[in-house]
Amino acid sequence: DARVTQTPRDKVTEMGQEVTMRCQPILGHNTVFWYRQTMMQGLELLAYFRNRAPLDDSGMPKDRFSAEMPDATLATLKIQPSEPRDSAVYFCASGFYGEIAFFGQGTRLTVV
Amino acid sequence: QKEVEQNSGPLSVPEGAIASLNCTYSDRGSQSFFWYRQYSGKSPELIMSIYSNGDKEDGRFTAQLNKASQYVSLLIRDSQPSDSATYLCAVDGYGGSQGNLIFGKGTKLSVKP
């Protein structure tokens, strides 16, 4: 049963700390996405990769967020330093080109 | 700023009725359109994709696309309480299969037994 795996599922951290979220996309999918979901803004695209190359990260605050895909089985999203306004659910998703086939279960981040 | 608009609802329909969910988008060049369902506390899951004008049917679900009016809809026939969820419309933001999917904020559907 193919699925996108995200870790951790929940993260509570103090303001100013570094947060790293990890994602294992479905093998064979050529596009990996990072989204953030809040009640106010809904789902916002942060960044996405095609064949491991970053295509667009314009949705991320560049001064604190970074996304990488060191190999085909791992995508990471880092926030340093974290701020309370970063509190949200972060989803990784994978698929082919412009279609998201599967979302991961999400990382619920709370920055206090 | 490319936008995808949905009525937030809640949309309440009785069991067995047809639920009609609507979505409008701002980018006339968009070519790929998707509907996702999200249960409370869960991740979105893909229900339908549509790329051409007209209707596309899959079981109880029908997606309708009208590019001239920049309008996408999802019809759910014989609605069941298990269909109660938030339905998200997504549109490609660069006028092609690039990957910049823009989501609406979703319509919450409630199906009453």
Side-chain angles (χ1 to χ4, degrees), chain A residues 6-45:
Chain A
Q6 286 186 249
T7 56
R9 294 290 308 279
D10 283 280
K11 176 74 175 179
V12 179
T13 191
E14 292 185 348
M15 181 172 63
Q17 296 298 304
E18 176 178 306
V19 176
T20 298
M21 290 170 267
R22 293 178 173 81
C23 169
Q24 181 177 352
I26 292 173
L27 200 62
H29 284 178
N30 70 355
T31 308
V32 177
F33 308 80
W34 281 105
Y35 280 86
R36 171 171 67 182
Q37 188 174 38
T38 61
M39 289 292 292
M40 290 297 296
Q41 299 298 327
L43 271 168
E44 301 174 279
L45 179 64

Side-chain angles (χ1 to χ4, degrees), chain A:
Chain A
D1 185 25
R3 63 180 67 191
V4 176
T5 304
Q6 286 186 249
T7 56
R9 294 290 308 279
D10 283 280
K11 176 74 175 179
V12 179
T13 191
E14 292 185 348
M15 181 172 63
Q17 296 298 304
E18 176 178 306
V19 176
T20 298
M21 290 170 267
R22 293 178 173 81
C23 169
Q24 181 177 352
I26 292 173
L27 200 62
H29 284 178
N30 70 355
T31 308
V32 177
F33 308 80
W34 281 105
Y35 280 86
R36 171 171 67 182
Q37 188 174 38
T38 61
M39 289 292 292
M40 290 297 296
Q41 299 298 327
L43 271 168
E44 301 174 279
L45 179 64
L46 298 176
Y48 66 101
F49 297 78
R50 176 78 35 79
N51 297 319
R52 293 178 53 205
L55 279 194
D56 188 350
D57 61 2
S58 60
M60 295 199 308
K62 296 289 194 307
D63 56 338
R64 300 185 300 108
F65 284 59
S66 62
E68 296 181 344
M69 197 163 178
D71 63 60
T73 65
L74 178 64
T76 63
L77 179 67
K78 289 186 180 181
I79 308 174
Q80 168 63 22
S82 57
E83 296 180 3
R85 59 179 168 153
D86 300 330
S87 296
V89 179
Y90 290 79
F91 286 108
C92 175
S94 71
F96 291 102
Y97 297 101
E99 178 170 323
I100 295 175
F102 293 100
F103 280 82
Q105 294 166 300
T107 294
R108 182 176 299 277
L109 174 66
T110 304
V111 183
V112 298

